[in-house]
Amino acid sequence: MKRFALKDYGPAKEVLIEIDSEPRLVDETHVRVELVAFAINPYDVALRQGAMRDVRTLKFPYVLGNDGAGIVTEVGKKVTHVKSGDEVIVHAIGGTYGEEIVVPGKKIVKKPAMMSWEVAAGMVTPWLAAYHLVTHLLGESIGETVMVQGASGAVGSLLVQFLKEQGKTVLASAAKRNESWVSQLGVDQFVAYDEADAGKIFADQADTVIDATKGGRAGEAGMQIMKTGGNFVALNELPKEQKKTGNYFSFGPAKEYLDFEALTALTKLADKLQLKIAEVLPFTLASVIEAHEKLEGHPAAGKIIIKKEK
Ligand SMILES: NC(=O)c1ccc[n+]([C@@H]2O[C@H](COP(=O)([O-])OP(=O)(O)OC[C@H]3O[C@@H](n4cnc5c(N)ncnc54)[C@H](OP(=O)(O)O)[C@@H]3O)[C@@H](O)[C@H]2O)c1
């Protein structure tokens, strides 16, 4: 079975390799999925570069990838919500960069028929973050006005749409080149951070500020925008100096955030949510390397998806 693995930490061209793996056995709680598409996340790039090695040490060869979509080919006898032949969305702790994966049944849901393979694969991690942050980390305390920084990104754009579904007033920032994409998601006000100072324009207006920029680059402006005593949530590390009184959260996965619940919610909202796909690349090692190299920079908005011919 073909998979794309890291042989070490380092530059994409040097450390990403193709390997041939033995299929894993499926026990009674697991499911085998033949993957049709998988997504590349900024997190994968950080893992490859070794930026997370203190908190997450990898054992090589290591197959990256948390997000995928595919067809069920084998089902453990305790798994009752899917059967062989079903099209599913998959969340894995590593391993989706390949032809198949074996995952616990509770980490997959049926893919809505109207959802494309690329959108299904691309949604997973960004949606889980958006859903759990809003629903569980903050809940009612989120308030009425929410600022989304990095609103053009996968997480940011899903946050905007989920918050608008809940009737919130959403302020947003992103690069000027992404203004039309973000505006049509329904934001109430938009500032292009590369043209104007969002921190000044929206100063003290948001009950909650969510910094969903890559690497967390918008902390300074975000703290200006948060009302005193409001919430500031970083998808990455929090700003070192917290200049205003408020509740500061660094969002990350938690045991009590259930994939099955979040992915089921995704399937219910599927016809309302948009996800921008920047590129769909063929299922080759060269594609994986190309995607990693692009994500190291500041590419056009949208997910990069690797997809098999189907
Ligand atoms: N903690 C968690 O559980 C979790 C889960 C998912 C994601 N994340 C993290 O959240 C971040 C966003 O993920 P994503 O998948 O949404 O990434 P993405 O789709 O690549 O989006 C990146 C966002 O960052 C913005 N950005 C990039 N460079 C910027 C700069 N120099 N200044 C200001 N904004 C900039 C982009 O806006 P423009 O292009 O418009 O500038 C875009 O909105 C990543 O760092 C990711 O690792 C964390």
Side-chain angles (χ1 to χ4, degrees):
M1 183 236 313
K2 183 155 92 173
R3 304 179 95 191
F4 306 110
L6 292 177
K7 62 174 180 175
D8 200 348
Y9 300 112
K13 264 199 191 80
E14 288 174 24
V15 298
L16 277 160
I17 54 169
E18 189 176 310
I19 58 171
D20 188 20
S21 295
E22 283 301 311
R24 267 185 55 190
L25 290 178
V26 169
D27 70 13
E28 51 189 17
T29 61
H30 282 65
V31 173
R32 188 185 310 282
V33 178
E34 181 197 339
L35 290 159
V36 176
F38 64 85
I40 314 286
N41 278 300
Y43 181 66
D44 306 345
V45 175
L47 279 179
R48 170 180 54 76
Q49 291 171 326
M52 324 276 299
R53 72 171 96 183
D54 291 344
V55 282
R56 181 118 188 256
T57 311
L58 304 181
K59 208 170 136 229
F60 301 110
Y62 181 80
V63 181
L64 289 166
N66 302 99
D67 303 351
I71 298 167
V72 174
T73 55
E74 192 179 345
V75 184
K77 53 174 188 292
K78 284 196 176 153
V79 180
T80 53
H81 66 291
V82 291
K83 58 182 186 319
S84 282
D86 282 349
E87 299 185 354
V88 291
I89 306 173
V90 178
H91 183 230
I93 304 171
T96 62
Y97 286 20
E99 287 181 314
E100 71 164 47
I101 188 153
V102 173
V103 281
K106 62 188 181 194
K107 307 282 265 181
I108 65 170
V109 293
K110 277 192 206 164
K111 174 179 88 59
M114 44 69 65
M115 193 183 259
S116 69
W117 290 113
E118 36 276 60
V119 167
M123 281 278 188
V124 182
T125 287
W127 170 256
L128 292 176
Y131 176 86
H132 288 307
L133 188 163
V134 170
T135 311
H136 296 303
L137 179 72
L138 296 176
E140 290 295 315
S141 76
I142 198 164
E144 284 312 308
T145 302
V146 182
M147 170 77 199
V148 179
Q149 300 174 295
S152 55
V155 178
S157 60
L158 289 171
L159 277 168
V160 166
Q161 296 170 80
F162 192 38
L163 291 164
K164 288 310 298 176
E165 266 299 305
Q166 299 179 7
K168 305 295 179 191
T169 298
V170 178
L171 314 176
S173 62
K176 178 70 184 168
R177 65 179 177 174
N178 293 320
E179 180 171 3
S180 60
W181 155 238
V182 175
S183 298
Q184 59 83 42
L185 296 173
V187 298
D188 295 274
Q189 288 187 65
F190 175 85
V191 167
Y193 68 80
D194 45 357
E195 271 196 342
D197 185 343
K200 272 200 185 128
I201 294 170
F202 293 142
D204 300 307
Q205 289 190 26
D207 299 302
T208 293
V209 172
I210 305 168
D211 181 357
T213 59
K214 191 152 75 181
R217 296 152 196 264
E220 281 292 314
M223 287 185 284
Q224 276 178 279
I225 295 166
M226 177 181 73
K227 290 179 188 169
T228 302
N231 303 307
F232 180 96
V233 186
L235 268 294
N236 291 279
E237 278 177 28
L238 282 167
K240 289 207 168 46
E241 208 189 328
Q242 292 156 13
K243 293 183 176 161
K244 210 185 237 176
T245 309
N247 309 303
Y248 289 83
F249 303 96
S250 173
F251 175 82
K255 260 203 220 102
E256 57 275 23
Y257 298 164
L258 302 179
D259 284 355
F260 194 74
E261 172 197 322
L263 294 175
T264 302
L266 169 64
T267 62
K268 291 190 179 140
L269 284 172
D271 57 346
K272 298 195 176 123
L273 295 173
Q274 303 176 52
L275 181 77
K276 199 175 188 68
I277 304 294
E279 274 184 277
V280 181
L281 299 175
F283 191 85
T284 63
L285 177 62
S287 296
V288 178
I289 292 170
E290 180 183 338
H292 268 247
E293 288 180 342
K294 283 186 174 155
L295 285 197
E296 280 177 27
H298 189 174
K303 297 291 305 183
I304 305 181
I305 304 295
I306 311 291
K307 185 167 170 257
K308 275 207 264 177
E309 288 304 317
K310 201 74 205 162

